Amino acid sequence: MKILLLLLGSLCLSVNGLPFSDEPSKTWVVLCAGWKGYHLGGYSIQANVYHAYQVIHAQGIPDENIIVMHYDDLAYNELNPTPGIVVHKVNGTDVYKGMKSRNFLGVLKGDPELVKKGKRLVNSGPNDNVFVYFVDHGSPNVVSFPVGYIYGEDLVFALKDMQQNNRFSKLVFYLEACESGSMFRILPNDLNIYAVSSSNATELSWECNWDESRKVYLGGYFANSWLDDCEHRDLQQESLQEQFDHMKKQLDIPGSDPKREPYPQHPVQYGDLSISKGS
Ligand SMILES: *[C@@H]1O[C@H](CO)[C@@H](O)[C@H](O)[C@H]1NC(C)=O
Ligand SMILES: *[C@@H]1O[C@H](CO)[C@@H](O)[C@H](O)[C@H]1NC(C)=O
């Protein structure tokens, strides 16, 4: 299975779909920035998600199938020297462009009004493929929001619940956070779920792309490496395994950062690894 096919809801994946459904296979993409604010340790989180949106949008996934969860307090923050523009690299292009601002802030906060309306984030069925990129601050077995936490058990329980409710054919989850490996420790390998953590269970994940004029880091090492790979390789040819191998190699060397000495980090694979290899 090639990543583009995964992203586009490919034929080869829909063959594995359940026979009783006539629905064509779709791909749903969820991009979630779990933290907010224009500051060190904040900017890069939303910028990662915006750049991911640009890359995925460029691959032809319809906007109605791309769900972006973000606080949306960066582009028009009073501290932003370029109102309405967010960059992911120094002197980089605007990655905020075309972002549809929807009310997912409410969902992140567990807005009771939205819950009451029964608003579903991902309206996927058994033939569909789901890709999730989630970036946040983390600690062992937890990722945190400005209000509340998600524990590793909760995350795996939610994924199991989706699987039991036939909400996907295959699901791929990229998680970028400190100690993110700890979140997937109990993920079974028989749920058609393949997960990648940006660092192992006991190490930090780092930001990069220091911007001297903005005084913030613009990106995460993991997102930087992943999206660079997407933009510079032929995604129709590259498997998720090859992408992982590439990121692993790239993240194992310290970045060049004038402000501090960054350390290598080690992404880890979890779940059903056959998905990464293309079966
Ligand atoms: C960004 O642009 C400034 C001004 O043109 C230039 O001095 C600087 O070297 C550039 N930095 C990078 C990393 O491209
Ligand atoms: C996690 O990474 C750290 C270094 O960053 C290393 O010392 C440790 O052995 C790694 N743990 C595993 C389980 O690979």
Side-chain angles (χ1 to χ4, degrees):
M1 180 195 60
K2 312 297 181 208
I3 182 172
L4 183 68
L5 296 182
L6 171 86
L7 290 172
L8 292 178
S10 72
L11 289 173
C12 68
L13 289 178
S14 62
V15 186
N16 296 333
L18 300 178
F20 55 76
S21 171
D22 296 330
E23 292 289 313
S25 169
K26 282 197 258 221
T27 294
W28 294 83
V29 176
V30 181
L31 306 171
C32 176
W35 206 259
K36 62 179 186 172
Y38 191 110
H39 48 71
L40 262 179
Y43 189 105
S44 71
I45 288 189
Q46 290 183 92
N48 287 335
V49 154
Y50 298 152
H51 189 190
Y53 167 81
Q54 300 297 342
V55 164
I56 285 159
H57 175 81
Q59 287 176 29
I61 307 279
D63 265 0
E64 63 263 30
N65 286 14
I66 306 176
I67 289 142
V68 181
M69 298 168 75
H70 60 138
Y71 284 90
D72 201 12
D73 62 351
L74 198 53
Y76 292 98
N77 195 295
E78 60 183 11
L79 296 174
N80 188 0
T82 55
I85 290 175
V86 175
V87 294
H88 196 230
K89 294 202 168 134
V90 178
N91 300 339
T93 54
D94 178 20
V95 291
Y96 188 74
K97 199 174 70 164
M99 279 295 315
K100 290 210 174 94
S101 185
R102 308 175 210 171
N103 188 20
F104 288 113
L105 174 60
V107 176
L108 275 179
K109 283 179 173 167
D111 186 334
E113 281 307 305
L114 291 175
V115 173
K116 234 191 291 174
K117 284 184 210 151
K119 192 158 177 92
R120 276 213 259 170
L121 274 181
V122 180
N123 212 359
S124 56
N127 287 339
D128 295 347
N129 300 308
V130 178
F131 173 80
V132 184
Y133 168 64
F134 186 166
V135 53
D136 201 357
H137 288 288
S139 309
N141 200 35
V142 71
V143 288
S144 45
F145 293 97
V147 279
Y149 301 94
I150 295 180
Y151 293 96
E153 293 78 15
D154 301 331
L155 178 63
V156 171
F157 185 80
L159 293 172
K160 275 185 181 164
D161 188 68
M162 282 183 80
Q163 196 264 348
Q164 275 158 16
N165 287 301
N166 292 317
R167 299 291 291 282
F168 57 80
S169 168
K170 306 216 162 151
L171 184 144
V172 174
F173 200 123
Y174 283 13
L175 176 63
E176 177 164 12
C178 289
E179 283 110 358
S180 46
S182 63
M183 293 293 288
F184 293 121
R185 270 194 287 222
I186 58 164
L187 180 69
N189 60 10
D190 60 353
L191 298 179
N192 288 336
I193 296 172
Y194 164 63
V196 174
S197 65
S198 61
S199 56
N200 80 22
T202 57
E203 67 184 351
L204 303 178
S205 281
W206 294 86
E207 297 180 280
C208 63
N209 299 344
W210 172 255
D211 189 322
E212 189 54 36
S213 65
R214 291 168 193 266
K215 305 287 180 210
V216 288
Y217 290 96
L218 300 174
Y221 270 129
F222 179 83
N224 212 50
S225 160
W226 164 46
L227 297 170
D228 245 29
D229 180 81
C230 291
E231 286 179 329
H232 294 111
R233 295 232 197 169
D234 182 353
L235 295 181
Q236 301 201 47
Q237 299 298 325
E238 187 186 40
S239 70
L240 292 174
Q241 185 62 44
E242 287 167 322
Q243 181 167 75
F244 177 80
D245 293 341
H246 172 78
M247 293 191 293
K248 191 169 167 65
K249 212 160 95 192
Q250 208 176 38
L251 292 170
D252 201 19
I253 43 178
S256 55
D257 192 315
K259 296 294 288 180
R260 66 179 175 198
E261 191 178 342
Y263 298 93
Q265 64 191 64
H266 306 94
V268 186
Q269 297 171 291
Y270 297 87
D272 184 350
L273 299 194
S274 73
I275 292 177
S276 72
K277 300 197 171 88
S279 56

